Amino acid sequence: MKTLTLLRHAKSGWDDPVARDFDRPLNTKGHRAAQAVGRYMKAIGLSFDHVAASPAVRVVETLGEVELGYGSELAPAWDQRIYLASAATLLDLVHELPEGAASVLIAGHNPGLEELVLTLIPDGDHLRDDVEVKFPTASLAEMRFAVERWSDVKPGAGELIRFTRPRDLDPALGPGKD
């Protein structure tokens, strides 16, 4: 059994004058949401054998805030391929995950993360339907696969066991609430 959790970076600041999209930092709401997600991860007992993440500033800052809420370091392996990756690229990365890791967190960006969930989870799942509507910033999607090796993860073969948005944790973190 393998468990894959996807974390979309928290809300970033479009008002910050940065030269590259890669360098865009979190805004105030993003910092609050990422810490709330970290507290939630700790409260439900999530743990990871391996963490892979985009090195984009907003992902680095998201994981820093998640660690504050979680109360423990996640020690991500930074992987440039995750930055704005497509679902196909992310699935290739899943297939390359360390076999000894039973539970993995990948932190990155949309639309790739959302598309990966929609690829891996079969139609008809109510949580999948929620993801299809929107995979908001700082949201977590936890999937389980009845496989022994990451290379055996196939489209439509996963079970979405959790989809949590920041607004599910605190209504003040919902849309339009700054």
Side-chain angles (χ1 to χ4, degrees):
M1 190 69 66
K2 300 288 188 187
T3 302
L4 176 64
T5 303
L6 304 179
L7 171 64
R8 184 176 175 201
H9 67 79
K11 193 143 187 73
S12 57
W14 285 96
D15 296 335
D16 289 308
V18 294
R20 305 180 309 161
D21 173 73
F22 186 88
D23 298 322
R24 220 166 3 98
L26 297 184
N27 66 17
T28 302
K29 181 178 174 183
H31 286 279
R32 288 193 333 263
Q35 280 192 33
V37 168
R39 288 189 299 273
Y40 172 72
M41 289 167 49
K42 181 181 179 103
I44 63 171
L46 284 185
S47 65
F48 308 102
D49 303 315
H50 181 75
V51 177
S54 162
V57 169
R58 58 193 178 273
V59 176
V60 172
E61 289 184 356
T62 296
L63 289 177
E65 296 293 342
V66 166
E67 288 173 342
L68 287 174
Y70 189 64
S72 181
E73 187 176 347
L74 295 171
W78 305 108
D79 191 329
Q80 181 67 34
R81 297 175 297 171
I82 299 172
Y83 175 65
L84 303 181
S86 68
T89 298
L90 291 170
L91 185 54
D92 288 344
L93 290 166
V94 168
H95 290 155
E96 297 170 10
L97 289 171
E99 291 308 330
S103 181
V104 172
L105 172 68
I106 296 178
H109 311 265
N110 252 5
L113 293 179
E114 178 179 320
E115 291 169 356
L116 183 61
V117 173
L118 299 179
T119 297
L120 295 175
I121 305 303
D123 286 336
D125 179 291
H126 77 280
L127 290 177
R128 183 191 189 280
D129 294 344
D130 290 345
V131 171
E132 193 167 18
V133 169
K134 186 170 185 182
F135 194 125
T137 53
S139 291
L140 282 174
E142 185 180 0
M143 299 171 282
R144 192 170 26 223
F145 302 90
V147 298
E148 294 299 316
R149 298 181 319 225
W150 288 107
S151 58
D152 293 333
V153 170
K154 302 286 183 240
E159 175 190 6
L160 185 57
I161 56 177
R162 184 181 336 268
F163 178 56
T164 308
R165 303 161 295 197
R167 69 175 175 232
D168 300 328
L169 307 175
D170 179 351
L173 296 172
K177 314 270 194 220
D178 292 323

